[in-house]
Amino acid sequence: MGIVLCGGTIVTDTACYQADIRIQGEIIDAVGSQVTQAGDTVLTAEGCYIFPGGIDAHTHFDLPVGTMSTADDFASGTKAAILGGTTTVIDYATQFKGETLQQGLENWHQRADGKCYSDYGFHMAITDWNEQVSREIPWLGQEAGVASVKLYMAYKNVMQVDDSTLFQVLERSRDWGILTCVHCENGDIVDNLVRQFRRQGKTAPAYHHLSRPPRVEQEAVNRLTVLAEMADAPVLVVHLSCRESLETVAQAKARGVRVFAETCPQYLVLDDSVYQDTTFSCAKYVISPPLRAKENQEYLWNGLKTGILDTVATDHCSFNFHGQKEVGSEDFSKIPNGAPGVEHRLGLLYTYGVKAGKISLTQFVDKVATQPAKLFGLFPKKGTIAPGSDADLVIWDERRQVTISAASQAQKVDYSPYEGMKQQGQAVHVFLRGQQVVENGKTCIDTPQGQFLFRKPFR
Ligand code: URP
Ligand code: ZN
Ligand code: ZN
């Protein structure tokens, strides 16, 4: 006995067409007309789109930062994810100083296993590179199912790596089918600018964005692409935020560097005018890289359209305004960096991208599901609607309107950077490997059903 979703319009990265979908167990069994078999349950999707389940390849759940941890853990974060139509997250497991990669990964499994409402995988953020860690790279990709690492070119004295480490990781990862994801900001220059502002008594949250101008990001993107070219290694620039970086990525792609790039909804729909707020409230937007001048948005949308930008992820990293962001009320450099968003990625991109005519429906699916699946070793199990793929499906009713607000969100954090913004359409029903997990816009499962995803090496 299967489930048939009938009457919907299926959208993949290449096509948009009317057909029925038959689900058998965890898998899509058939796509077409007359797929129903005796005993099947039939659900109507008339008037709705059916998207492959979204993949958010950049989250930070249950991340310890200093003496605190992010507001969302794996339970609340992945519950919010499925409500927004994201059925897979790839979170940044972190190797803290003094740890092996295996210890870092075990730590993240303990945080996540048994708690996830979506399927989940890990990238491995490396903060302490040495000979022993280098020897763990084959194990990471081949035995632990973690086909990507992350390096930070910022956060001096905490996570930042130097160029020598960056180059060595690129070479070693290249040899073992591992994609290197990089936070691109020149942390030394940020550190100088932060110290200058503090010396001048400029400690309000708005100085955060002035300490991280676009050139600081672009310089790091440029350095990364040149090093990746020298090492002939694949790299992914995470959370690309501005025109300057986009142009640098475009030039690198044009000369054959294997560079991929991700942007985030916050850079597409919010801008740096929020930092004109002279109250501490703008600490809600203390993220790195910071929000940019509005004119950058057109370039980013165009980058999605032309393929310079490959994916859209959220960089969900939530800290409560009260009690957590407030730690930096006397000094902006102490405000924990990050903002929530995992719940609203599809809604924002659909509303302000597809409905606004900036990207097509198929491009939308490509950026939120198909490309992340391909880049991170999950395709065609995830990221498409085809026989044999996991039945991760989102029935999207664009007749529904949602107003984003902290009061109604599932994310366990006390604000939303998108407060009051309208969202056209909603994930009314969501299936995770054939099981309905969202019904009529509400979760309909009592226990977490998410599985760890062992990802294939990068090719
Ligand atoms: O501000 C941000 N983005 N915080 C999360 C950590 C990171 O840099 O990705
Ligand atoms: Zn980052
Ligand atoms: Zn991040």
Side-chain angles (χ1 to χ4, degrees):
M1 279 195 321
I3 301 171
V4 175
L5 308 180
C6 74
T9 300
I10 295 173
V11 189
T12 67
D13 63 322
T14 53
C16 187
Y17 60 103
Q18 286 239 312
D20 299 341
I21 300 172
R22 182 169 192 277
I23 301 168
Q24 179 78 58
E26 298 197 337
I27 303 294
I28 297 172
D29 169 51
V31 180
S33 58
Q34 293 164 355
V35 297
T36 309
Q37 297 183 13
D40 284 351
T41 304
V42 178
L43 294 176
T44 180
E46 257 164 48
C48 295
Y49 291 119
I50 308 185
F51 304 139
I55 300 175
D56 189 341
H58 190 157
T59 64
H60 303 275
F61 297 141
D62 202 2
L63 174 73
V65 175
T67 54
M68 60 182 93
S69 276
T70 50
D72 280 295
D73 60 11
F74 279 88
S76 66
T78 54
K79 200 179 257 193
I82 57 169
L83 279 163
T86 290
T87 50
T88 295
V89 300
I90 310 180
D91 196 82
Y92 282 98
T94 302
Q95 170 223 21
F96 293 115
K97 300 244 186 271
E99 287 183 342
T100 63
L101 299 186
Q102 192 163 354
Q103 285 166 337
L105 198 59
E106 274 168 12
N107 180 3
W108 247 259
H109 272 295
Q110 271 170 24
R111 290 166 190 272
D113 293 354
K115 300 193 186 101
C116 290
Y117 288 81
S118 69
D119 280 353
Y120 63 103
F122 296 132
H123 314 276
M124 187 82 231
I126 298 173
T127 71
D128 198 357
W129 180 249
N130 54 46
E131 270 303 313
Q132 187 199 345
V133 171
S134 174
R135 283 195 294 274
E136 289 185 280
I137 290 288
W139 163 84
L140 189 69
Q142 313 282 309
E143 291 174 50
V146 174
S148 44
V149 294
K150 178 173 191 190
L151 297 175
Y152 291 88
M153 294 171 83
Y155 305 129
K156 194 171 165 66
N157 300 326
V158 188
M159 317 275 247
Q160 185 174 329
V161 296
D162 60 17
D163 291 347
S164 170
T165 297
L166 179 52
F167 192 67
Q168 288 175 34
V169 172
L170 288 175
E171 289 196 314
R172 186 79 170 140
S173 298
R174 169 205 64 202
D175 291 344
W176 290 95
I178 287 178
L179 176 63
T180 304
C181 305
V182 185
H183 175 127
C184 294
E185 288 184 298
N186 183 324
D188 289 306
I189 304 304
V190 171
D191 183 57
N192 271 278
L193 295 175
V194 167
R195 284 188 288 114
Q196 277 174 25
F197 284 132
R198 286 165 61 181
R199 272 200 303 274
Q200 293 162 12
K202 295 174 173 167
T203 56
Y207 288 102
H208 169 80
H209 95 284
L210 297 174
S211 69
R212 311 179 95 101
R215 289 287 185 210
V216 156
E217 181 182 324
Q218 185 200 20
E219 187 282 325
V221 172
N222 184 57
R223 193 161 18 114
L224 173 69
T225 55
V226 171
L227 295 181
E229 187 173 19
M230 290 170 68
D232 190 20
V235 290
L236 183 134
V237 176
V238 299
H239 49 45
L240 187 148
S241 72
C242 61
R243 175 189 177 175
E244 290 85 345
S245 300
L246 186 78
E247 288 172 350
T248 301
V249 168
Q251 285 159 11
K253 281 192 176 197
R255 64 178 194 271
V257 183
R258 290 189 288 159
V259 56
F260 305 92
E262 161 201 287
T263 192
C264 311
Q266 53 270 35
Y267 304 116
L268 292 162
V269 306
L270 302 175
D271 64 73
D272 67 358
S273 59
V274 299
Y275 302 121
Q276 281 165 16
D277 184 345
T278 51
T279 73
F280 188 69
S281 194
C282 74
K284 293 172 184 169
Y285 304 97
V286 167
I287 59 175
S288 295
L291 299 175
R292 302 302 189 188
K294 195 166 182 56
E295 53 264 29
N296 288 276
Q297 292 174 359
E298 260 341 282
Y299 290 93
L300 297 181
W301 285 115
N302 202 44
L304 289 172
K305 215 177 168 70
T306 56
I308 302 303
L309 294 174
D310 299 277
T311 66
V312 176
T314 60
D315 193 12
H316 180 104
C317 188
S318 58
F319 293 99
N320 286 317
F321 178 70
H322 296 292
Q324 294 196 304
K325 291 278 187 184
E326 278 172 349
V327 165
S329 59
E330 303 294 316
D331 175 355
F332 71 89
S333 70
K334 299 205 162 51
I335 300 169
N337 285 202
V342 72
E343 193 168 343
H344 302 116
R345 182 179 63 124
L346 269 63
L348 290 166
L349 210 66
Y350 182 80
T351 308
Y352 299 95
V354 178
K355 293 305 285 179
K358 294 187 191 298
I359 54 170
S360 68
L361 261 177
T362 52
Q363 286 168 336
F364 164 81
V365 166
D366 192 42
K367 305 305 173 188
V368 302
T370 314
Q371 281 304 324
K374 287 182 173 169
L375 285 169
F376 293 112
L378 294 170
F379 190 82
K381 177 178 165 68
K382 307 283 188 191
T384 193
I385 298 177
S389 292
D390 281 3
D392 293 349
L393 298 163
V394 178
I395 301 185
W396 186 266
D397 189 343
E398 73 150 357
R399 294 161 296 196
R400 298 217 183 175
Q401 263 224 356
V402 176
T403 302
I404 299 175
S405 115
S408 57
Q409 71 189 0
Q411 298 171 153
K412 222 172 69 188
V413 53
D414 65 1
Y415 80 98
S416 166
Y418 308 105
E419 185 72 33
M421 286 179 74
K422 300 276 183 253
Q423 177 184 310
Q424 187 67 46
Q426 189 187 18
V428 277
H429 305 298
V430 178
F431 290 80
L432 173 66
R433 282 177 286 97
Q435 178 174 11
Q436 186 158 10
V437 292
V438 173
E439 187 178 358
N440 257 317
K442 300 206 163 16
T443 49
C444 57
I445 38 161
D446 296 328
T447 51
Q449 300 295 323
Q451 287 181 358
F452 176 70
L453 297 167
F454 191 99
R455 297 185 288 118
K456 290 179 287 190
F458 181 86
R459 274 178 263 280

PDB file of all heavy atoms in Angstrom, residues 97 126 157 203 217 236 279 297 305 346 348 350 362 384 439:
ATOM      1  N   LYS A  97      39.656  23.403  19.817  1.00  0.00           N
ATOM      2  CA  LYS A  97      41.115  23.319  19.999  1.00  0.00           C
ATOM      3  C   LYS A  97      41.466  22.148  20.929  1.00  0.00           C
ATOM      4  O   LYS A  97      40.819  21.934  21.952  1.00  0.00           O
ATOM      5  CB  LYS A  97      41.666  24.621  20.586  1.00  0.00           C
ATOM      6  CG  LYS A  97      41.392  25.833  19.703  1.00  0.00           C
ATOM      7  CD  LYS A  97      42.662  26.470  19.178  1.00  0.00           C
ATOM      8  CE  LYS A  97      42.397  27.751  18.431  1.00  0.00           C
ATOM      9  NZ  LYS A  97      42.131  27.615  17.006  1.00  0.00           N
ATOM     10  N   ILE A 126      37.205  22.713  10.999  1.00  0.00           N
ATOM     11  CA  ILE A 126      38.536  22.417  11.556  1.00  0.00           C
ATOM     12  C   ILE A 126      39.123  23.707  12.134  1.00  0.00           C
ATOM     13  O   ILE A 126      39.248  24.712  11.427  1.00  0.00           O
ATOM     14  CB  ILE A 126      39.466  21.860  10.454  1.00  0.00           C
ATOM     15  CG1 ILE A 126      38.892  20.532   9.913  1.00  0.00           C
ATOM     16  CG2 ILE A 126      40.882  21.655  10.978  1.00  0.00           C
ATOM     17  CD1 ILE A 126      39.644  19.984   8.707  1.00  0.00           C
ATOM     18  N   ASN A 157      41.919  34.389  16.800  1.00  0.00           N
ATOM     19  CA  ASN A 157      42.199  33.776  18.110  1.00  0.00           C
ATOM     20  C   ASN A 157      41.109  32.809  18.559  1.00  0.00           C
ATOM     21  O   ASN A 157      41.148  32.321  19.694  1.00  0.00           O
ATOM     22  CB  ASN A 157      42.405  34.830  19.211  1.00  0.00           C
ATOM     23  CG  ASN A 157      43.566  35.743  18.891  1.00  0.00           C
ATOM     24  OD1 ASN A 157      44.543  35.302  18.288  1.00  0.00           O
ATOM     25  ND2 ASN A 157      43.451  37.010  19.265  1.00  0.00           N
ATOM     26  N   THR A 203      31.335  51.798  20.547  1.00  0.00           N
ATOM     27  CA  THR A 203      31.037  50.437  20.997  1.00  0.00           C
ATOM     28  C   THR A 203      29.613  49.977  20.678  1.00  0.00           C
ATOM     29  O   THR A 203      29.212  48.882  21.061  1.00  0.00           O
ATOM     30  CB  THR A 203      31.245  50.327  22.529  1.00  0.00           C
ATOM     31  OG1 THR A 203      30.426  51.331  23.150  1.00  0.00           O
ATOM     32  CG2 THR A 203      32.703  50.522  22.913  1.00  0.00           C
ATOM     33  N   GLU A 217      35.663  41.061   3.020  1.00  0.00           N
ATOM     34  CA  GLU A 217      35.140  39.782   2.513  1.00  0.00           C
ATOM     35  C   GLU A 217      35.773  39.467   1.155  1.00  0.00           C
ATOM     36  O   GLU A 217      36.246  38.354   0.911  1.00  0.00           O
ATOM     37  CB  GLU A 217      33.608  39.865   2.393  1.00  0.00           C
ATOM     38  CG  GLU A 217      32.983  38.567   1.882  1.00  0.00           C
ATOM     39  CD  GLU A 217      31.464  38.669   1.714  1.00  0.00           C
ATOM     40  OE1 GLU A 217      30.799  39.339   2.524  1.00  0.00           O
ATOM     41  OE2 GLU A 217      30.948  38.061   0.752  1.00  0.00           O
ATOM     42  N   LEU A 236      33.981  25.992  -1.563  1.00  0.00           N
ATOM     43  CA  LEU A 236      32.675  26.653  -1.539  1.00  0.00           C
ATOM     44  C   LEU A 236      32.742  27.852  -0.605  1.00  0.00           C
ATOM     45  O   LEU A 236      33.109  27.713   0.566  1.00  0.00           O
ATOM     46  CB  LEU A 236      31.581  25.684  -1.086  1.00  0.00           C
ATOM     47  CG  LEU A 236      30.174  26.286  -1.119  1.00  0.00           C
ATOM     48  CD1 LEU A 236      29.183  25.319  -1.765  1.00  0.00           C
ATOM     49  CD2 LEU A 236      29.674  26.648   0.268  1.00  0.00           C
ATOM     50  N   THR A 279      19.583  52.369  18.818  1.00  0.00           N
ATOM     51  CA  THR A 279      19.374  51.599  20.046  1.00  0.00           C
ATOM     52  C   THR A 279      20.081  50.248  19.913  1.00  0.00           C
ATOM     53  O   THR A 279      20.497  49.862  18.817  1.00  0.00           O
ATOM     54  CB  THR A 279      17.869  51.346  20.303  1.00  0.00           C
ATOM     55  OG1 THR A 279      17.405  50.371  19.356  1.00  0.00           O
ATOM     56  CG2 THR A 279      17.069  52.634  20.183  1.00  0.00           C
ATOM     57  N   GLN A 297      21.729  43.674  -3.429  1.00  0.00           N
ATOM     58  CA  GLN A 297      20.715  42.617  -3.585  1.00  0.00           C
ATOM     59  C   GLN A 297      20.476  42.258  -5.051  1.00  0.00           C
ATOM     60  O   GLN A 297      20.364  41.082  -5.391  1.00  0.00           O
ATOM     61  CB  GLN A 297      19.402  43.039  -2.919  1.00  0.00           C
ATOM     62  CG  GLN A 297      19.516  43.110  -1.404  1.00  0.00           C
ATOM     63  CD  GLN A 297      18.270  43.661  -0.745  1.00  0.00           C
ATOM     64  OE1 GLN A 297      17.303  44.024  -1.412  1.00  0.00           O
ATOM     65  NE2 GLN A 297      18.284  43.734   0.574  1.00  0.00           N
ATOM     66  N   LYS A 305      20.511  33.772 -10.677  1.00  0.00           N
ATOM     67  CA  LYS A 305      19.939  33.531 -12.008  1.00  0.00           C
ATOM     68  C   LYS A 305      21.003  33.013 -12.978  1.00  0.00           C
ATOM     69  O   LYS A 305      20.751  32.104 -13.759  1.00  0.00           O
ATOM     70  CB  LYS A 305      19.398  34.870 -12.521  1.00  0.00           C
ATOM     71  CG  LYS A 305      18.154  34.767 -13.343  1.00  0.00           C
ATOM     72  CD  LYS A 305      17.702  36.188 -13.706  1.00  0.00           C
ATOM     73  CE  LYS A 305      16.648  36.148 -14.763  1.00  0.00           C
ATOM     74  NZ  LYS A 305      15.381  35.628 -14.298  1.00  0.00           N
ATOM     75  N   LEU A 346      12.590  28.864   2.413  1.00  0.00           N
ATOM     76  CA  LEU A 346      11.795  28.646   1.199  1.00  0.00           C
ATOM     77  C   LEU A 346      10.785  29.772   1.006  1.00  0.00           C
ATOM     78  O   LEU A 346      10.593  30.271  -0.104  1.00  0.00           O
ATOM     79  CB  LEU A 346      11.084  27.284   1.241  1.00  0.00           C
ATOM     80  CG  LEU A 346      11.866  26.114   0.631  1.00  0.00           C
ATOM     81  CD1 LEU A 346      13.155  25.841   1.373  1.00  0.00           C
ATOM     82  CD2 LEU A 346      11.015  24.846   0.581  1.00  0.00           C
ATOM     83  N   LEU A 348      10.865  32.910   2.011  1.00  0.00           N
ATOM     84  CA  LEU A 348      11.475  34.176   1.602  1.00  0.00           C
ATOM     85  C   LEU A 348      11.935  34.120   0.150  1.00  0.00           C
ATOM     86  O   LEU A 348      11.715  35.044  -0.627  1.00  0.00           O
ATOM     87  CB  LEU A 348      12.656  34.512   2.521  1.00  0.00           C
ATOM     88  CG  LEU A 348      12.269  34.909   3.953  1.00  0.00           C
ATOM     89  CD1 LEU A 348      13.485  34.878   4.867  1.00  0.00           C
ATOM     90  CD2 LEU A 348      11.619  36.300   3.979  1.00  0.00           C
ATOM     91  N   TYR A 350      10.867  32.107  -2.174  1.00  0.00           N
ATOM     92  CA  TYR A 350       9.709  31.993  -3.067  1.00  0.00           C
ATOM     93  C   TYR A 350       9.055  33.368  -3.242  1.00  0.00           C
ATOM     94  O   TYR A 350       8.787  33.804  -4.360  1.00  0.00           O
ATOM     95  CB  TYR A 350       8.697  30.985  -2.498  1.00  0.00           C
ATOM     96  CG  TYR A 350       7.526  30.795  -3.408  1.00  0.00           C
ATOM     97  CD1 TYR A 350       7.616  29.974  -4.524  1.00  0.00           C
ATOM     98  CD2 TYR A 350       6.327  31.476  -3.183  1.00  0.00           C
ATOM     99  CE1 TYR A 350       6.540  29.832  -5.405  1.00  0.00           C
ATOM    100  CE2 TYR A 350       5.258  31.340  -4.044  1.00  0.00           C
ATOM    101  CZ  TYR A 350       5.373  30.511  -5.149  1.00  0.00           C
ATOM    102  OH  TYR A 350       4.315  30.385  -6.017  1.00  0.00           O
ATOM    103  N   THR A 362      12.025  26.839 -11.362  1.00  0.00           N
ATOM    104  CA  THR A 362      13.026  25.771 -11.439  1.00  0.00           C
ATOM    105  C   THR A 362      14.363  26.232 -10.819  1.00  0.00           C
ATOM    106  O   THR A 362      15.053  25.433 -10.180  1.00  0.00           O
ATOM    107  CB  THR A 362      13.241  25.317 -12.904  1.00  0.00           C
ATOM    108  OG1 THR A 362      13.508  26.456 -13.712  1.00  0.00           O
ATOM    109  CG2 THR A 362      12.037  24.571 -13.444  1.00  0.00           C
ATOM    110  N   THR A 384      15.637  15.913  -5.580  1.00  0.00           N
ATOM    111  CA  THR A 384      14.849  15.840  -6.809  1.00  0.00           C
ATOM    112  C   THR A 384      13.592  14.995  -6.577  1.00  0.00           C
ATOM    113  O   THR A 384      13.431  14.384  -5.518  1.00  0.00           O
ATOM    114  CB  THR A 384      15.686  15.275  -7.976  1.00  0.00           C
ATOM    115  OG1 THR A 384      14.981  15.519  -9.200  1.00  0.00           O
ATOM    116  CG2 THR A 384      15.993  13.799  -7.812  1.00  0.00           C
ATOM    117  N   GLU A 439       1.318  18.560   8.503  1.00  0.00           N
ATOM    118  CA  GLU A 439      -0.029  18.462   7.934  1.00  0.00           C
ATOM    119  C   GLU A 439      -0.725  19.794   8.186  1.00  0.00           C
ATOM    120  O   GLU A 439      -0.763  20.262   9.331  1.00  0.00           O
ATOM    121  CB  GLU A 439      -0.788  17.318   8.635  1.00  0.00           C
ATOM    122  CG  GLU A 439      -2.116  17.035   7.993  1.00  0.00           C
ATOM    123  CD  GLU A 439      -2.831  15.866   8.685  1.00  0.00           C
ATOM    124  OE1 GLU A 439      -2.255  15.269   9.634  1.00  0.00           O
ATOM    125  OE2 GLU A 439      -3.961  15.573   8.296  1.00  0.00           O
TER     126      GLU A 439
END
